[in-house]
Amino acid sequence: MDLPQSDFATRPMVDNYGRTINYLRLSVTDRCDLRCVYCMKARPKFLPKADLLSLEELTTICDAFIRRGVTKIRLTGGEPLVRRDVLSLIDNLGARIGVAGLEELCLTTNANMLPRYAGRLAKAGIKRINVSLDTLDPARYAALTRRGTLESALRGIDAAQTAGLNVKINAVALKGDNEGELPQLIEWAHGRAMDLTLIEVMPMGEVDASRNTQFLPLTEVRERLEQQWTLTDQIGSTGGPARYVSVKETGGRLGFISPLTNNFCAGCNRIRVSCAGELFSCLGRNGKLDLRNAFRTGGMDAVDGLIDQAMATKPARHDFTRPGEVGDPVSRSMAHTGG
Ligand code: SAM
Ligand code: SF4
């Protein structure tokens, strides 16, 4: 496939609040081999395959964003590695690193398929991946993911590190569930030279449990960790929602993504596209634009027009509601949007 001309960043994406958008998160499928209890129902309804953009279309749409100033793309889902032939997309995007304005290609995965794919990801130019792992207890892992085994996830993490990928662990903090285990999880990650980021469960889509029973404020978690460890805030932004601290006793870095207890929207630099070509300017809102239709009927000019519309309408902040508050809950799941 021909690489795009180097006329990128001719019209950078800047929203009405002066935020420059340079990070695209692309959900390549809403399907997954797991069924995490905070992410989806036990029997989720996935999009019909006919609704999906082809991998070639996704590549061309990425090119449109690269031309508009995107320097970092994260492939996510659903589980990105379950999409058939996803490596062709990864290879094509990898070929754009350092050539067409793209500086970094990353991936978020549950690690199950990494023994098969880690080497290929590294070869394609991916240097860093995020792996979701909420527990080191085999029974809890099986219960939380409904389908997975801890052994398989750990094999995937081993394969990634062996392939030279820098791995960051993401763990959703769950009330009355993995909450007592978080210090061990952090120690384990830091012991393997991996950063770990804790995430507050977000009210997105329908799950079988009540969000009230899952939600654990990270303010509480941080207070508890500070009783046993010395946490020092790290100055400087990573351009993301996580606030980082260093942990003196483990020598590692710990991130907090706290959309409900500590709003991070002022520094937002991202935009999201789903596998069906929906353009979401905010993770925590229901609003979306139809990029698939624009692309198929009006080509790249129409895509550019829609990107302009997204910049003009990107909200100042998300609208996640804390358990017990009244609001307009986001109806789609994280797996649909691309977490
Ligand atoms: N399947 C891949 C994985 O699990 O890493 C990528 C997609 S998954 C939707 C991306 C991230 O979203 C994971 O770290 C997962 O734990 C997180 N996530 C899913 N549902 C969430 C929710 N309701 N609130 C907070 N995080 C959630
Ligand atoms: Fe799948 Fe990731 Fe959602 Fe778990 S969090 S069900 S691994 S998409």
Side-chain angles (χ1 to χ4, degrees):
M1 192 182 286
D2 287 342
L3 295 185
Q5 299 299 306
S6 56
D7 60 347
F8 53 85
T10 46
R11 219 159 82 230
M13 294 186 284
V14 182
D15 75 2
N16 274 349
Y17 302 92
R19 297 172 296 193
T20 299
I21 308 305
N22 54 17
Y23 181 9
L24 170 68
R25 293 171 80 103
L26 179 66
S27 170
V28 302
T29 175
D30 64 331
R31 292 170 192 249
C32 189
D33 45 349
L34 304 184
R35 299 282 185 272
C36 300
V37 293
Y38 50 78
C39 180
M40 54 177 77
K41 286 172 166 282
R43 293 167 189 273
K45 270 205 194 101
F46 294 120
L47 291 168
K49 287 201 172 142
D51 285 4
L52 266 52
L53 289 171
S54 69
L55 295 175
E56 291 73 22
E57 286 175 312
L58 289 176
T59 308
T60 309
I61 282 174
C62 285
D63 284 338
F65 281 96
I66 294 169
R67 275 198 293 272
R68 297 293 301 267
V70 158
T71 56
K72 175 172 170 181
I73 297 177
R74 177 175 298 281
L75 303 178
T76 177
E79 174 49 46
L81 297 179
V82 303
R83 177 141 182 192
R84 188 200 291 239
D85 296 333
V86 70
L87 279 179
S88 66
L89 173 71
I90 293 172
D91 284 339
N92 280 329
L93 292 177
R96 283 151 171 78
I97 301 171
V99 178
L102 186 66
E103 291 168 8
E104 194 176 11
L105 180 65
C106 317
L107 180 101
T108 302
T109 174
N110 62 30
N112 268 313
M113 299 183 75
L114 286 176
R116 196 190 313 169
Y117 286 128
R120 289 290 307 272
L121 300 181
K123 205 163 157 225
I126 291 183
K127 294 196 164 47
R128 298 192 298 159
I129 61 170
N130 288 354
V131 168
S132 308
L133 186 80
D134 308 311
T135 176
L136 289 172
D137 179 290
R140 179 172 288 138
Y141 187 91
L144 273 178
T145 61
R146 292 191 180 108
R147 290 182 166 200
T149 66
L150 178 67
E151 195 194 346
S152 164
L154 294 180
R155 263 204 310 269
I157 293 169
D158 286 343
Q161 290 196 308
T162 303
L165 296 169
N166 186 325
V167 179
K168 174 168 83 73
I169 302 293
N170 282 340
V172 177
L174 296 160
K175 186 161 124 189
D177 196 320
N178 65 354
E179 66 172 300
E181 199 201 328
L182 295 176
Q184 288 98 293
L185 194 59
I186 295 163
E187 273 176 334
W188 169 82
H190 289 177
R192 293 187 55 149
M194 301 184 290
D195 287 348
L196 182 142
T197 294
L198 296 171
I199 305 176
E200 271 174 1
V201 74
M202 301 173 218
M204 295 187 68
E206 285 185 24
V207 289
D208 296 317
S210 134
R211 290 289 185 200
N212 275 325
T213 60
Q214 298 180 327
F215 179 68
L216 176 65
L218 287 185
T219 39
E220 241 178 80
V221 176
R222 182 172 173 153
E223 274 168 25
R224 268 185 251 156
L225 292 175
E226 277 176 328
Q227 286 167 17
Q228 70 179 101
W229 287 334
T230 317
L231 308 185
T232 309
D233 285 308
Q234 294 208 324
I235 316 292
S237 164
T238 56
R243 301 207 161 100
Y244 282 97
V245 298
S246 57
V247 183
K248 187 175 164 205
E249 289 76 4
T250 62
R253 218 159 70 115
L254 173 65
F256 295 89
I257 297 186
S258 328
L260 289 107
T261 59
N262 203 347
N263 187 278
F264 47 64
C265 299
C268 186
N269 65 346
R270 52 194 65 193
I271 192 152
R272 292 176 161 81
V273 173
S274 79
C275 54
E278 298 146 300
L279 177 61
F280 300 109
S281 61
C282 180
L283 175 69
R285 296 268 183 169
N286 282 314
K288 61 181 179 180
L289 295 166
D290 186 354
L291 203 54
R292 182 182 60 191
N293 185 46
F295 177 63
R296 288 184 180 169
T297 58
M300 292 300 253
D301 284 346
V303 168
D304 257 335
L306 222 63
I307 291 175
D308 289 336
Q309 208 179 319
M311 289 306 104
T313 54
K314 184 171 164 68
R317 51 173 293 155
H318 66 68
D319 191 24
F320 287 133
T321 47
R322 295 182 67 157
E325 290 175 355
V326 180
D328 178 22
V330 177
S331 55
R332 56 181 198 276
S333 72
M334 189 73 99
H336 181 138
T337 316

